[in-house]
C-alpha cells in the first residue's frame, strides 16, 4: 500500500523521521518510480502480492531488524446492496482486506515476538466496519475482520511487548 493515497504521506513521514522502510507495492512496474520519488532516504521498494502466503513469508524473511509494521494495503469496491453483490465481489474484498491483513499480521507477530523489546503494528480499518451503510456490506465485513484480527494481535502480542493498533478512518 506504499504507493496509495494513504501510503505516500505515511511513507514520506516515516522516511523524514529516519525510519528505514521496506515499502510494499503490488505492481513491479511502479517500483522504480516510487524509489525515485524518495532518493537516498533509507527506502527499499518491494513488489509483492500480500494475498499470497509465500510472498508474505518471503517479504518478512527479507527484512532485517524489523521494529514495526504499518499495513496499509487493501481495497474498496463500488458499493452495492447485499442483493446486488455477487459472491466473487465478496471474495475479492475478503481477499484484499482480510486475507492480506491476516497474512501480514501472522508474519509480523512471529518476527516481532522474537525481537527484544517487542515492536508495533498498525493496520487500517474503516468506519463502515463499525457503522455500515446499506450499500457497502462486503467492504464493511472485510474491514470489520481487519479490526478483529488487529485487536486479537494486540492481545496476543501483549506478553511479548508487541503492540497492535487499528486506525478506523471515515474517508481517505
Amino acid at each position: 500500500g506504499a504507493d496509495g493515497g494513504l501510503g505516500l504521506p505515511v511513507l514520506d513521514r516515516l522516511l523524514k523521521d529516519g525510519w528505514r522502510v521496506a515499502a510494499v507495492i503490488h505492481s513491479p512496474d511502479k517500483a522504480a518510480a516510487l524509489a525515485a520519488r524518495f532518493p537516498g532516504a533509507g527506502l527499499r521498494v518491494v513488489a509483492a502480492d500480500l494475498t499470497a502466503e509465500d510472498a508474505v513469508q518471503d517479504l518478512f524473511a527479507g527484512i532485517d531488524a524489523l521494529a514495526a509494521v504499518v499495513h496499509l494495503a487493501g481495497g474498496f469496491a463500488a458499493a452495492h446492496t447485499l442483493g446486488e453483490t455477487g459472491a466473487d465481489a465478496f471474495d475479492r474484498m475478503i481477499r484484499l482486506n482480510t486475507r492480506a491483513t491476516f497474512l501480514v499480521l501472522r508474519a509480523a507477530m512471529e518476527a516481532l515476538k522474537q525481537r527484544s523489546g517487542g515492536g508495533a503494528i498498525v493496520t487500517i480499518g474503516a468506519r463502515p466496519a463499525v457503522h455500515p451503510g446499506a450499500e457497502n456490506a462486503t467492504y464493511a465485513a472485510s474491514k470489520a475482520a481487519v479490526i478483529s484480527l488487529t485487536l486479537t494481535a494486540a492481545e496476543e502480542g501483549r506478553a511479548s511487548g508487541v503492540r497492535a493498533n487499528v486506525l478506523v478512518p471515515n474517508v481517505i
Side-chain angles (χ1 to χ4, degrees), residues 17-29:
D17 287 350
W19 287 87
R20 288 183 310 136
V21 178
V24 180
I25 61 172
H26 190 263
S27 172
D29 299 337

Side-chain angles (χ1 to χ4, degrees), residues 60-88:
F60 278 85
I63 298 174
D64 295 328
L66 182 70
V69 173
V70 180
H71 175 58
L72 305 173
F76 175 79
H80 297 287
T81 64
L82 282 171
E84 297 168 331
T85 303
D88 288 344

